[in-house]
Amino acid sequence: MTDRVAGTDRAGAGGGGPGGRLGPGQGTALLLGAVLGPGVLALPHLAAAAAGPASIVAWAALLALSVPVALTFAALGGRFPDGGGVAAFAARAFGARTAAVTGWWFYFAVPVGVPAGALIGAEYVSSALGLGGGGTLAVTCGLLAAAFAANHAGLRFSGGLQLLLAVLLVALLVAAVAMALPAVRPGNFTPFAPHGPEGVARAAGVLFFAFVGWEAASHLSAEFADPRRHLPRATALTLAVVGVLYTGLAVTVIGVLGGRAAVSPVPLALLLEHGAGSLAGPVTAGAALLLSFGAINTYVAGGARLGAALARDGALPAWLAGGADPGRAGQGADSARVGQGADSARVGQGADSARVGQGADSARVGQGADSARVGRDAAPGRVPHRSLLLLAVLSGAVTAAVAGSGLGLDPLMRATSACLAAVTAVGVAAATRLLSGAWRRTAAVAMVLTLALLAACGPYLLVPLVLAAGALVAGRRRVRSSAAGRGPGWPGG
């Protein structure tokens, strides 16, 4: 594939950043930490409930989507080492308003993805201890309170510890699949599609939660000794490992559990019973608790700093910038360095970043350069308390609403997935303008597939649409305030 950015020869851009020393092996480990998150502990159940055995088709479709998406972000990372992530690419390709909208999607995915991540860990604990619905809610609230209190005190998981948590998750998935695989029964795959094609689409909409994190390649690139050569290799290896893990998990959950996969919120515990017996519940509960707390803690940290950065750039009310590093003012790409994800969102992958996780940069990459990503967006020893407080209030409100309505985990995961799919769509759309040649064609394929996935989100698309409208309205008001001399507005674009 061509080594040029649209309109600019980047022959020398692929060099590693200062001190870049990662090779393909280490890079693969870090990218695995970005993509995998505790959301995968619950997603097989949600997908099976939506589509039955045909959920395997949704898993396969999202793995296919991951190929051009992952390669596109790897290409962006190779051409723009340490380029700042999706919001930075959005600003470069489409202007500051699009970057602000992307930042809103990241930021407001946090108070939806964080309760989702807490609920995942709580359901495994509740199942192991027989706590019931009240116990599940108590554990959920306890996890949230602990994560916000830790962040208020300035305590965050290090990049190395995040990488260890990713290793723990891989070990748990491998053990569950290996122990249960001999118990697969062909009869459990029939009827194959009890809910028809619509069920497969609904399964794909929620499963996207397990497939975010590829954009981590775009800001990991500076850590590679040779980004142009090593980053694509690491991405390909990560795709292979994720493909094997997710395929094995999807087939085993359906083939072993059958109808139970659609009704039990703790599918991995059921799989592990085939090898670990009565120890399966406590083991998976402990692992889920640790994984969920780690993802939530880091996702909240990144989200709070993202809010301060957005406020500093005029995309959110200026008072939210309290506690942010004044030396970082004016960087429109800040949101990309802090809030990718919504680990996002990846909480559950989990804001893992929100992918509650995955939501923050350190949670997604688990790298030693953590301070160069999230930590540097706040002065040493300082915490953006106002942004953190807003996230705590919103997370509490979402948790109360879910508890009061009995909606459960599914709508939280779907709403977060819709926001993250929108972010991915913006990222690959930006790539079609920033890359050229074969890479641009790859980005175009990724964009078409991502738009199809957005359609699968159904009514949950209202979440990113409402947030986009809010970001644009807020921006216009700030522009008017700036023109009247009352405050900052959007910088150009």
Side-chain angles (χ1 to χ4, degrees):
M1 290 188 179
T2 183
D3 217 3
R4 293 173 56 85
V5 178
T8 306
D9 188 351
R10 300 287 298 177
R21 59 187 182 277
L22 295 181
Q26 293 168 301
T28 299
L30 296 181
L31 285 175
L32 278 173
V35 176
L36 295 176
V40 77
L41 301 179
L43 286 169
H45 153 63
L46 298 177
S55 61
I56 296 172
V57 175
W59 283 97
L62 283 165
L63 284 169
L65 165 67
S66 292
V67 174
V69 169
L71 293 177
T72 295
F73 282 116
L76 285 170
R79 304 312 176 268
F80 301 98
D82 200 24
V86 176
F89 299 133
R92 184 186 293 263
F94 305 117
R97 287 176 175 80
T98 304
V101 169
T102 305
W104 271 53
W105 286 337
F106 279 138
Y107 185 68
F108 289 104
V110 172
V112 180
V114 161
L119 190 55
I120 290 170
E123 285 183 335
Y124 272 85
V125 172
S126 180
S127 175
L129 301 180
L131 299 180
T136 300
L137 179 59
V139 175
T140 299
C141 293
L143 280 169
L144 291 174
F148 279 102
N151 276 278
H152 178 73
L155 301 176
R156 292 190 295 119
F157 279 23
S158 68
L161 184 53
Q162 287 293 341
L163 188 56
L164 288 177
L165 291 178
V167 171
L168 171 63
L169 179 57
V170 170
L172 189 64
L173 294 176
V174 170
V177 171
M179 290 179 180
L181 196 59
V184 169
R185 298 292 179 265
N188 288 333
F189 294 94
T190 56
F192 185 70
H195 306 294
E198 296 83 2
V200 176
R202 289 195 300 272
V206 73
L207 281 177
F208 189 73
F209 202 94
F211 289 87
V212 297
W214 297 113
E215 72 279 0
S218 63
H219 44 90
L220 264 178
S221 56
E223 308 304 325
F224 283 83
D226 186 350
R228 287 184 297 176
R229 292 177 57 243
H230 294 162
L231 185 53
R233 294 179 188 176
T235 300
L237 287 171
T238 304
L239 281 166
V241 173
V242 168
V244 171
L245 283 175
Y246 283 0
T247 301
L249 182 64
V251 171
T252 306
V253 164
I254 297 298
V256 174
L257 302 183
R260 288 192 297 166
V263 297
S264 172
V266 290
L268 261 69
L270 297 181
L271 292 182
L272 284 170
E273 285 180 358
H274 288 271
S278 60
L279 292 177
V283 168
T284 54
L289 197 64
L290 182 59
L291 288 165
S292 295
F293 179 76
I296 294 168
N297 179 276
T298 313
Y299 194 36
V300 168
R305 285 160 176 77
L306 168 60
L310 290 171
R312 220 171 33 238
D313 292 342
L316 284 174
W319 65 270
L320 281 176
D325 179 4
R328 297 277 295 167
Q331 298 221 8
D334 223 15
S335 58
R337 297 183 179 281
V338 189
Q340 290 298 330
D343 148 97
S344 49
R346 290 196 47 88
V347 168
Q349 272 57 346
D352 132 176
S353 38
R355 122 201 228 265
V356 161
Q358 337 148 17
D361 211 11
S362 58
R364 307 173 81 70
V365 273
Q367 56 184 314
D370 179 59
S371 60
R373 295 288 190 268
V374 177
R376 70 184 177 191
D377 286 299
R382 299 182 67 185
V383 176
H385 292 289
R386 294 173 185 173
S387 177
L388 183 65
L389 176 61
L390 178 59
L391 289 179
V393 170
L394 293 175
S395 297
V398 170
T399 303
V402 170
S405 63
L407 290 176
L409 181 64
D410 188 74
L412 297 179
M413 302 286 269
R414 291 183 182 278
T416 308
S417 291
C419 289
L420 299 180
V423 169
T424 301
V426 168
V428 294
T432 63
R433 301 188 69 172
L434 299 175
L435 302 176
S436 65
W439 286 122
R440 174 176 284 177
R441 292 191 290 273
T442 300
V445 172
M447 185 172 66
V448 170
L449 295 176
T450 304
L451 290 176
L453 177 63
L454 273 172
C457 293
Y460 289 90
L461 276 179
L462 286 173
V463 178
L465 286 175
V466 168
L467 290 175
L472 294 173
V473 169
R476 289 193 186 98
R477 288 179 177 175
R478 279 186 170 45
V479 168
R480 288 197 294 267
S481 296
S482 179
R486 293 192 299 269
W490 273 339

